[in-house]
Amino acid sequence: MRSFKKMISSVSMMAIVLSLWSPAGISHAATPITDANSTVFGPNVYVFSPDMPAADIQSTASSIFGRQESNEFGTERDALLFKPGSYNVNFYVGFNTQVSGLGQNPDDVLINGGLNVNADWDNGKALRNFWRGIENLSINPTLTIPAPAHITSGTTQIAVSQAAPLRRLHIKGKLNLFDFDSNWNAGYASGGFLADSIVDGQITPASQQQWFSRNSQYSSWSNGVWNMVFVGDKNAPAGTFPDQPYTVVPNTPVIREKPYLYIDKKDQYQVFVPSLSQNTKGVSWAAGATPGQSIGIDQFYIVRSDQPNTSSAASINAALAAGKNLLFTPGIYHLNDTIRINNANTVVLGIGMPTLIPTTDKPAMTVADVDGVKLAGLLYEAGPNATSTLLEIGPTGSTNNHAANPTSLHDLFFRTGGAVAGTNASQMKINSNNVIGDHFWMWRADHGAGAGWTTNVSTNGLIVNGTDVTIYGLFNEHHNEYQTIWNGNGGRLYFYQSEIPYDVPNQAAWMNGSKKGFASYKVADSVTTHEAWGLGVYSYFRDAAVKLDSAIEVPNAAGVKIHHATTIWLNGTSGSEITHIINNLGGRVYGKSGSAMRQTL
C-alpha cells in the first residue's frame, strides 16, 4: 500500500507549496480552523471559509483522508463543506466522506489545485472505492502529482465505483475515472454516477467497466468497456451498440435534481429543492440558478449522532409530526422504531453518509402515500433482526396519482452485511405511484463482516409495486434470490448494473422451481408496459459450479421493451455460467481462456 504522504514528501514541503498558492489579501488574522467544526451540524461537519489559512484547511482535509483512505467499514463519517469563494488546496476524498460547496451554484466555490479520489490503498484498483461523494463546486486542476499518482496539470482524477455520486460539478479541465497501479497499468473500477455536471475537457473512463451519466456535458468521452449509459447528456458519444458499449437516450423524461445545502447572501443556511422538470438535456444550472425553492434551516430538525437526545426515533418522529423536515449529519443512527414520513413535501437530507440501522424487525423508514417527499443522501443498513424491508415508499396497496408532484429519491444506498451482520427480506419497496429514483446502490455484502450465504440473507434488493415509476442509475447486487422485482406497470429504468450472488453453495440451494437460479431483473408476468435501457448482469460463482438460466426475465408483451442488455462472466468455478441473456434467448457466458466473456442482445 502506498500512503498519501508519499505524494507530498513532508509537511514542510506542503507548507511551501501552499504559501506559493496563497491569494493576496489574506491576513494573519484569518479565521482559525477550529471554527470549521463548531457549527449547528456538530463536530463531524467541517465548514471552511476562504479567509481560513490555506495550510490549515489542507492539513485538516489531509488528516481526514488519512483516517478514511482505507476505512471501508469504519464508523467514522465526515462532511467537508466550503463556503463561497476560492481555495488553494490539494486533497483526496476517502471512505464515508462528502465534499460539497455551499454556494447557490457550482461556480460559487472554486478549488484551485486538486480535489481527487485515488485508489493507492489498493494498488490502483478502485473496485472498492465506495461511499463518498463530491457535489456543487468547481475544480481548477492546476497541480502535477508524479508517480505513483500520475495526475497531470489540467486533469482531475476521480477513481470510484458504486455509491460515489458526482453531482453539480464544474471541472475546468479533463476528468479521469480511474487510477494507475505502481506499474502504470489502469486499475479496475466498477462503475459510477455523474449528474448535472460540466467537464470542460475529455472524460476518460479507461478501465471503468460501466458508468451512468445524466444531464451532463463534456468536450468528449473517450472509450467504454461493457456498459455506458448516457441520458440527457450534451455531446454524448456516438457508436452502435454493442460494438461501442454505449446506450444514449437524448433527453431525460422526468427528473427533480437532488436537494442541497447552501448559504445565502445573509450567511444563513438554506436547503435548495429543485423543481420537477421534464424532457431535459444538459445541466440544470446552465443559465444561472436552478429553478426551485429554498427552505430555511430553521424548518429542519437537525439530527446529530453526538447528541443522543436528537437522534432517537421518538424525537425524530415528534419533529416530523410537528411539520419539520430532517437533516441528518454524519454518524451512525441505531433506531428502535421506524422513522415515519407522513407529511407531503417533507425533505430528508443526509450529509456525510449518515447510516440508519434498525435494531428491531421494523423498517428503518417509511413514507406515506403523499405528494412530493424528497429523500437524499442516506445509507440504510440491515440490523440483526430480520427486517422486513429497510425503506418502504408508500404502504402496500397505495393508489394515489402523484404525477404532478412525485416523491423523489436521490443517492440512497443499502447494505446488508459488510460492516455488521444483518438480514432483511428486501432492502426497499416502492409501493407509491410516479416515484423518481435517482441513483441507488443496493448491496448484499460479498466481503466484510457477516458475509455468508446464510448469514447476511437479503432475499431481494428492490421491489417496485407502484405504477409509472422511473429509475435512473440502479446498482443492485448479490441478493439471495431476485435482485430486482418489478410488479408495477409503466416502469422505466435507465442503466442497470448487477452482480448476482458470489456465494451460492451449490445448484440445489439456488433453484427457482424447475429453473436454475433467479434472474437478476424480473418483470412480473402480469406487467403489460415496461421499458429499460442499458442492462448489465455479471456472474462470479466463486464457491460452486452454478448455472443461471436467464439473467433477465420479462413477459412476452408488446408493451415490454428491453434495450441493450449485456451479460458478463467475470470469473468463477469451472462449469458455472449464465446460460441466456433474457427469456432463454442469447448466448451463454462462461469461463473461457481465463478471461471475462461477454454476450449482448
Side-chain angles (χ1 to χ4, degrees):
M1 180 184 298
R2 303 187 306 276
S3 72
F4 171 75
K5 293 180 181 178
K6 289 182 181 179
M7 296 179 188
I8 301 178
S9 60
S10 67
V11 173
S12 60
M13 178 60 72
M14 184 188 305
I16 291 170
V17 173
L18 287 168
S19 68
L20 293 174
W21 291 344
S22 294
I26 291 183
S27 70
H28 294 294
T31 303
I33 201 68
T34 52
D35 288 355
N37 63 348
S38 58
T39 70
V40 294
F41 305 118
N44 300 321
V45 178
Y46 298 80
V47 179
F48 302 116
S49 61
D51 63 347
M52 290 179 175
D56 289 350
I57 298 173
Q58 174 76 52
S59 177
T60 300
S62 297
S63 175
I64 291 169
F65 176 73
R67 171 163 48 80
Q68 297 282 34
E69 179 181 14
S70 59
N71 197 21
E72 183 176 4
F73 296 119
T75 57
E76 295 86 356
R77 303 285 186 272
D78 297 286
L80 283 65
L81 309 180
F82 289 81
K83 289 185 177 182
S86 295
Y87 299 83
N88 296 321
V89 292
N90 169 49
F91 65 97
Y92 291 82
V93 184
F95 282 103
N96 300 311
T97 303
Q98 179 180 337
V99 178
S100 295
L102 288 172
Q104 178 79 68
N105 293 307
D107 285 329
D108 293 342
V109 174
L110 176 63
I111 304 296
N112 283 304
L115 172 53
N116 298 288
V117 178
N118 68 10
D120 289 354
W121 72 282
D122 202 16
N123 192 30
K125 295 192 297 292
L127 289 170
R128 291 187 287 156
N129 268 6
F130 311 140
W131 303 305
R132 66 196 76 197
I134 307 174
E135 302 183 19
N136 196 37
L137 48 78
S138 59
I139 304 170
N140 180 27
T142 59
L143 288 182
T144 296
I145 301 177
H150 311 311
I151 299 174
T152 60
S153 179
T155 300
T156 294
Q157 172 190 280
I158 302 180
V160 293
S161 288
Q162 291 87 352
L166 310 174
R167 291 183 181 271
R168 292 178 60 84
L169 299 181
H170 184 187
I171 296 177
K172 300 183 176 185
K174 301 176 182 178
L175 174 62
N176 286 352
L177 300 175
F178 68 101
D179 198 357
F180 292 99
D181 67 17
S182 56
N183 294 316
W184 280 80
N185 298 311
Y188 293 119
S190 186
F193 178 94
L194 175 73
D196 204 21
S197 295
I198 295 175
V199 178
D200 291 347
Q202 177 176 275
I203 297 180
T204 302
S207 53
Q208 276 284 357
Q209 295 161 350
Q210 56 266 321
W211 192 272
F212 177 74
S213 177
R214 178 184 61 70
N215 289 97
S216 295
Q217 66 183 62
Y218 28 82
S219 69
S220 61
W221 183 279
S222 70
N223 75 288
V225 179
W226 291 331
N227 184 31
M228 292 359 204
V229 178
F230 310 87
V231 178
D233 278 8
K234 288 189 174 180
N235 207 27
T240 303
F241 185 89
D243 295 330
Q244 290 288 349
Y246 300 149
T247 299
V248 178
V249 179
N251 295 315
T252 301
V254 60
I255 193 67
R256 178 188 290 123
E257 296 294 346
K258 178 183 177 181
Y260 61 91
L261 186 69
Y262 79 101
I263 289 179
D264 65 17
K265 294 181 179 179
K266 297 181 180 178
D267 206 34
Q268 299 297 309
Y269 287 105
Q270 306 269 353
V271 171
F272 190 80
V273 181
S275 299
L276 187 70
S277 59
Q278 296 178 327
N279 201 34
T280 56
K281 191 182 190 73
V283 301
S284 67
W285 46 276
T290 300
Q293 69 168 131
S294 294
I295 304 175
I297 199 67
D298 60 329
Q299 299 302 307
F300 282 80
Y301 181 77
I302 298 173
V303 187
R304 290 174 48 169
S305 61
D306 66 317
Q307 294 180 346
N309 60 311
T310 73
S311 59
S312 68
S315 62
I316 293 170
N317 282 328
L320 289 166
K324 290 286 190 180
N325 302 290
L326 299 179
L327 193 151
F328 280 89
T329 63
I332 310 292
Y333 299 93
H334 296 275
L335 304 171
N336 64 359
D337 196 5
T338 299
I339 296 173
R340 299 176 180 87
I341 315 296
N342 293 325
N343 295 327
N345 300 310
T346 300
V347 177
V348 181
L349 176 62
I351 57 174
M353 296 290 166
T355 303
L356 312 184
I357 305 177
T359 60
T360 72
D361 60 355
K362 300 177 181 179
M365 184 178 289
T366 59
V367 177
D369 191 27
V370 295
D371 277 354
V373 172
K374 298 92 181 172
L375 305 183
L378 300 167
L379 172 57
Y380 298 87
E381 182 157 14
N385 292 302
T387 304
S388 57
T389 192
L390 298 177
L391 173 64
E392 184 176 61
I393 308 300
T396 300
S398 295
T399 58
N400 292 332
N401 186 313
H402 305 288
N405 186 15
T407 284
S408 58
L409 313 172
H410 314 267
D411 297 341
L412 300 186
F413 310 131
F414 301 81
R415 186 164 69 191
T416 305
V420 297
T423 64
N424 53 260
S426 64
Q427 290 184 333
M428 177 165 59
K429 286 184 179 180
I430 299 177
N431 296 317
S432 288
N433 301 325
N434 314 106
V435 171
I436 299 170
D438 185 33
H439 189 209
F440 305 145
W441 187 36
M442 317 190 73
W443 187 60
R444 173 181 169 263
D446 59 275
H447 63 281
W453 183 248
T454 59
T455 305
N456 64 324
V457 173
S458 175
T459 307
N460 308 114
L462 175 65
I463 301 174
V464 179
N465 296 319
T467 61
D468 298 322
V469 171
T470 302
I471 297 178
Y472 306 95
L474 173 56
F475 302 73
N476 196 1
E477 305 188 283
H478 308 313
H479 305 279
N480 296 75
E481 296 185 6
Y482 295 121
Q483 310 300 299
T484 301
I485 304 174
W486 207 301
N487 297 316
N489 269 309
R492 294 178 293 188
L493 173 74
Y494 301 88
F495 181 89
Y496 185 67
Q497 185 263 323
S498 179
E499 291 179 2
I500 49 186
Y502 290 176
D503 54 345
V504 181
N506 51 64
Q507 189 71 65
W510 206 51
M511 293 293 293
N512 183 12
S514 61
K515 297 177 183 178
K516 293 182 176 69
F518 291 80
S520 171
Y521 194 76
K522 171 66 176 178
V523 179
D525 295 343
S526 59
V527 169
T528 58
T529 55
H530 183 90
E531 198 158 5
W533 290 259
L535 297 87
V537 179
Y538 309 83
S539 74
Y540 170 31
F541 290 117
R542 185 186 61 202
D543 300 333
V546 177
K547 292 180 171 59
L548 170 62
D549 283 346
S550 291
I552 301 166
E553 291 181 4
V554 300
N556 186 13
V560 176
K561 302 175 183 179
I562 303 294
H563 309 270
H564 300 176
T566 297
T567 54
I568 305 288
W569 192 89
L570 297 170
N571 203 335
T573 304
S574 176
S576 62
E577 68 179 35
I578 300 177
T579 308
H580 299 288
I581 300 173
I582 181 169
N583 291 3
N584 292 323
L585 299 172
R588 65 181 178 135
V589 288
Y590 60 99
K592 185 177 182 181
S593 302
S595 61
M597 183 179 179
R598 179 187 187 212
Q599 293 284 357
T600 60
L601 191 68

